[in-house]
Amino acid sequence: MRSIDLPLPLVEASVKPFYRLALNARLPFRVQRALLDLAAPIQTLPDGAVVEKTTLAGRPAERITVGATERRCAVLYLHGGAYTIGSLATHRSLAAYLARESASVVYTLDYRLAPEHPFPAGLDDAVAAFTELVADHGFSADRVAIAGDSAGGGLSLATARRLIDTRRLRPAALALISPWVDPGSRTAPFDRDVVVNTAWAYASAGAYLGGGDPTDPGYAPLHGDLTGLPPTAVHVGAKEVLYPQIADLRAKLEAAGNGLHYVEYPRLWHVAHLQASVLGEAADAVADLGAFLRSVFPSGVFAEPLTGDLG
């Protein structure tokens, strides 16, 4: 289905009350999940999208392509939702647009969620999924990027760190949309933006932490070693609850000498990329991430003939 381009104020006015309803700390997480899944089909797929059910490391996953179904490079996409909500359905549209713009196959992962499965369950799943893509799907590590939004962005960063430190696997790149890199922080500049409210975020952060240490880099990668990471893109809206910690992440990545592509959006809200099928500015943001990923995959890879088991 072709995307449409609605006026930004109209889209913002539509999503704001929905997120106020769904991201409510008073609602059980199972109800929050159901509400988000119910609304997911509003975000449509681009023309030519192919979605295949699969598994990665024993977890449900989807393999998404647009156009050619065999690709030389892959993206492991980790959805947002404060580690307590979100699903393959809620991020299918965004993943498909990223597949189109990056000319890659995108794998979305249904990693385990809190409170049923607190930290480090989701991190364990993401590390195992990346490892399987390299071991069993014909991709070298330098042809697999990791991307994610919000909690999934923080999880992407933590996953890369663990892969580098414990598996000697360095992903091709990181593409982080409004990454939640310090869930234990209680220094938000205000208590609500278009999407996130702190009461909900703090409750979810506690559910994910369980009995762990809030400064553990696997939980809060802002507190970890940021040297030696692959090229990284970071997108953030200028009026987000998470803006201060993402600004800290930017400064630390720059100080660590990592290649950083940083884009700040004055008009877009938290992970507005989800609305790529209805909002031109959101589609442009996804296109920027796709161009970044294409630029950091190995030189000449898109001109190579397809051989072997790629994806």
Side-chain angles (χ1 to χ4, degrees):
M1 182 175 181
R2 294 186 183 279
S3 60
I4 58 177
D5 186 10
L6 298 175
L8 186 145
L10 176 61
V11 178
E12 181 178 355
S14 300
V15 300
K16 188 173 183 177
F18 172 74
Y19 284 124
R20 289 205 173 197
L21 169 67
L23 308 188
N24 186 335
R26 298 191 186 110
L27 294 176
F29 290 119
R30 60 178 176 80
V31 175
Q32 297 179 40
R33 294 168 188 167
L35 288 171
L36 262 67
D37 282 348
L38 187 65
I42 295 173
Q43 316 299 336
T44 59
L45 304 181
D47 287 347
V50 176
V51 180
E52 301 174 74
K53 300 293 184 183
T54 186
T55 60
L56 281 176
R59 294 297 304 166
E62 289 183 350
R63 180 187 187 277
I64 303 175
T65 54
V66 177
T69 56
E70 298 303 320
R71 295 291 187 173
R72 301 169 183 83
C73 298
V75 179
L76 175 63
Y77 194 91
L78 305 174
H79 69 76
Y83 298 106
T84 56
I85 63 175
S87 68
L88 301 178
T90 59
H91 286 66
R92 187 175 294 130
S93 173
L94 171 52
Y97 276 90
L98 185 61
R100 185 183 73 179
E101 299 299 338
S102 64
S104 305
V105 53
V106 173
Y107 288 88
T108 53
L109 179 69
D110 182 23
Y111 60 87
R112 288 172 291 173
L113 298 177
E116 297 91 340
H117 304 284
F119 174 78
L123 178 58
D124 291 343
D125 290 343
V127 169
F130 185 96
T131 303
E132 182 176 306
L133 283 174
V134 172
D136 299 336
H137 290 260
F139 295 105
S140 58
D142 66 349
R143 296 190 184 196
V144 184
I146 308 177
D149 63 280
S150 198
L155 183 57
S156 297
L157 187 57
T159 299
R161 183 78 271 161
R162 186 188 281 189
L163 285 166
I164 292 167
D165 292 347
T166 68
R167 307 286 178 99
R168 296 186 178 180
L169 293 174
R170 188 174 185 263
L174 295 173
L176 313 178
I177 306 170
S178 301
W180 197 21
V181 290
D182 190 7
S185 172
R186 297 297 182 268
T187 57
F190 34 80
D191 63 6
R192 182 184 294 276
D193 60 31
V194 172
V195 177
V196 175
N197 69 85
T198 54
W200 170 77
Y202 297 163
S204 295
Y208 179 54
L209 179 62
D213 176 0
T215 64
D216 185 319
Y219 174 82
L222 184 65
H223 296 284
D225 178 13
L226 299 181
T227 62
L229 292 171
T232 301
V234 177
H235 284 188
V236 64
K239 300 177 182 178
E240 293 195 39
V241 164
L242 297 184
Y243 182 85
Q245 61 180 261
I246 295 171
D248 288 346
L249 174 65
R250 176 191 185 184
K252 290 187 175 184
L253 287 171
E254 290 176 337
N258 292 301
L260 177 63
H261 173 69
Y262 177 85
V263 184
E264 191 171 299
Y265 292 93
R267 291 178 9 117
L268 293 182
W269 47 91
H270 181 71
V271 197
H273 304 57
L274 285 166
Q275 284 78 53
S277 66
V278 296
L279 180 64
E281 289 93 331
D284 290 344
V286 178
D288 180 81
L289 287 181
F292 164 77
L293 290 172
R294 293 196 312 273
S295 75
V296 297
F297 283 131
S299 178
V301 67
F302 295 107
E304 295 176 1
L306 285 167
T307 59
D309 177 19
L310 291 178

